[in-house]
């Protein structure tokens, strides 16, 4: 996670293995969530910093080259999980080579089906799961390119259906 100093130029404002925007998930049982993301989404390279109480203070793993940070919910940090809040309006969007296979893997690992994969008017094969920690994941594979006019027409047809 870019923790190695660069003596010549100083540290980069964005570590070399990170992107400018990185999801930072707050979970009840964040350590369990890290294990789940490895099983469900093939996350790799986990970094863990456990507190004295054994709970995850900071975790980071990579899914398809993108970092996902995690922490245990904490009232001291004013960090509530979706379980405490009663849900989340946020969805993490995961592009994969095979949306159906990735969706099935997540469900077998314990995710709940919110919307089974189907072909969408914008050109993706797309489905949505809820992980056991309250976070929503849309899982997609881009299967066809759609020009803006065709996309607008298809959207209008689907809205009228």
């Amino acid at each position: 996670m870019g923790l190695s100093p660069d003596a010549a130029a100083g540290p980069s404002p964005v570590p070399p293995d990170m992107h400018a925007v990185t999801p930072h998930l707050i979970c009840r049982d964040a350590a369990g969530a890290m294990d789940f993301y490895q099983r469900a989404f093939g996350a790799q390279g986990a970094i863990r910093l456990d507190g004295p109480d054994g709970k995850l203070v900071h975790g980071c793993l990579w899914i398809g080259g993108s970092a996902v940070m995690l922490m245990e919910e904490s009232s001291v940090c004013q960090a509530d999980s979706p379980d405490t809040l009663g849900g989340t309006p946020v969805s993490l969007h995961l592009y994969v080579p095979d949306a159906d296979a990735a969706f099935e893997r997540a469900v077998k690992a314990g995710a709940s089906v919110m919307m089974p994969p189907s072909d969408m008017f914008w050109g993706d094969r797309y489905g949505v799961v809820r992980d056991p920690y309250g976070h929503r994941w849309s899982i997609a594979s881009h299967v066809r390119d759609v020009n803006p006019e065709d996309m607008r027409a298809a959207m209008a047809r689907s809205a009228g259906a």
Side-chain angles (χ1 to χ4, degrees):
M1 196 171 90
L3 300 178
S4 302
D6 180 347
S12 170
V14 178
D17 55 350
M18 302 294 280
H19 298 288
V21 175
T22 301
H24 193 170
L25 305 181
I26 300 165
C27 302
R28 188 177 295 165
D29 184 19
M34 286 187 76
D35 294 337
F36 173 80
Y37 298 144
Q38 290 171 338
R39 289 190 321 276
F41 304 127
Q44 300 177 346
I47 296 171
R48 297 175 62 120
L49 176 60
D50 293 319
D53 60 0
K55 292 186 177 183
L56 189 70
V57 174
H58 175 75
C60 189
L61 38 77
W62 284 262
I63 301 172
S66 295
V68 176
M69 295 182 191
L70 294 98
M71 70 177 282
E72 185 71 28
E73 74 176 339
S74 166
S75 59
V76 172
C77 295
Q78 298 178 350
D80 296 323
S81 73
D83 291 335
T84 297
L85 296 173
T88 177
V90 175
S91 182
L92 296 137
H93 191 78
L94 180 61
Y95 272 113
V96 296
D98 183 340
D100 291 288
F103 188 92
E104 185 61 30
R105 178 179 178 175
V107 171
K108 283 184 180 177
S112 302
V113 174
M114 295 183 75
M115 181 180 136
S118 63
D119 292 336
M120 305 306 274
F121 65 85
W122 60 84
D124 287 355
R125 179 91 176 145
Y126 175 92
V128 182
V129 297
R130 180 183 175 275
D131 73 32
Y133 305 92
H135 297 283
R136 285 192 322 225
W137 295 77
S138 55
I139 300 172
S141 296
H142 189 69
V143 294
R144 70 185 186 291
D145 293 329
V146 181
N147 69 48
E149 288 122 24
D150 290 343
M151 191 181 302
R152 280 191 272 287
M155 183 174 58
R157 282 192 304 274
S158 70

